[in-house]
Amino acid sequence: QVQLVESGGGLVQPGGSTRLTCVASGNIFRNPAFHWYREGPEKHRELVAGISSGDQYTYTDSAKGRFSIFRDNGDRKYAAILQMDKMTAEDTAVYVCKCRTYWGLDFWGQGTPVNVSA
């Protein structure tokens, strides 16, 4: 079993920055893949950014140049951080982390809301 804990987000000023963290623990053998998705007001889930088990990066077009995903691994845990800069109202959404383990199993976080507003 794998547990995911998300943190960060909240209220962000337009043009500002925030950082989301997804920590995975439990039955993880090697570097898992992490992907951040978001669900906007229209409830459509889209991929925002991802890092594969082999450290290949994926970004949606709207995130390129503004968002960065990177690992923050430590003792008995794996984590991925999504750094978001130059944020706009269109980035307002619930951000959800997905972790794919070495065995190809997907685990989802509960989601953390981000509201970009003045």
Side-chain angles (χ1 to χ4, degrees), residues 2 6 8 10 20 43 49-50 60 88 92 101 104 106 111-113:
V2 172
E6 300 155 322
L20 306 181
K43 302 299 182 184
T60 190
T88 71
T92 295
T101 67
D106 290 339
T112 184

Side-chain angles (χ1 to χ4, degrees), residues 42-53:
E42 297 179 357
K43 302 299 182 184
H44 171 67
R45 179 174 286 187
E46 67 167 340
L47 175 65
V48 177
I51 179 169
S52 71
S53 59

Side-chain angles (χ1 to χ4, degrees), residues 29-117:
F29 179 51
R30 291 180 180 174
N31 255 5
F34 285 100
H35 290 82
W36 282 98
Y37 292 78
R38 65 186 178 189
E39 294 181 354
E42 297 179 357
K43 302 299 182 184
H44 171 67
R45 179 174 286 187
E46 67 167 340
L47 175 65
V48 177
I51 179 169
S52 71
S53 59
D55 289 342
Q56 291 182 315
Y57 299 87
T58 300
Y59 295 96
T60 190
D61 285 344
S62 65
K64 291 177 182 176
R66 300 190 302 127
F67 296 0
S68 298
I69 185 171
F70 53 94
R71 296 186 184 278
D72 183 22
N73 295 342
D75 184 35
R76 295 178 296 173
K77 70 160 178 75
Y78 295 91
I81 293 174
L82 181 65
Q83 175 68 38
M84 300 188 288
D85 302 316
K86 302 176 183 177
M87 299 189 72
T88 71
E90 286 69 35
D91 297 318
T92 295
V94 175
Y95 286 72
V96 185
C97 175
K98 184 186 79 173
C99 174
R100 174 166 291 180
T101 67
Y102 174 80
W103 297 277
L105 299 176
D106 290 339
F107 295 87
W108 292 86
Q110 293 296 313
T112 184
V114 176
N115 182 15
V116 183
S117 175

Side-chain angles (χ1 to χ4, degrees), residues 1-5 22-28 78 99 107-109:
Q1 190 68 307
V2 172
Q3 295 78 42
L4 293 183
V5 178
C22 178
V23 180
S25 59
N27 193 18
I28 299 174
Y78 295 91
C99 174
F107 295 87
W108 292 86

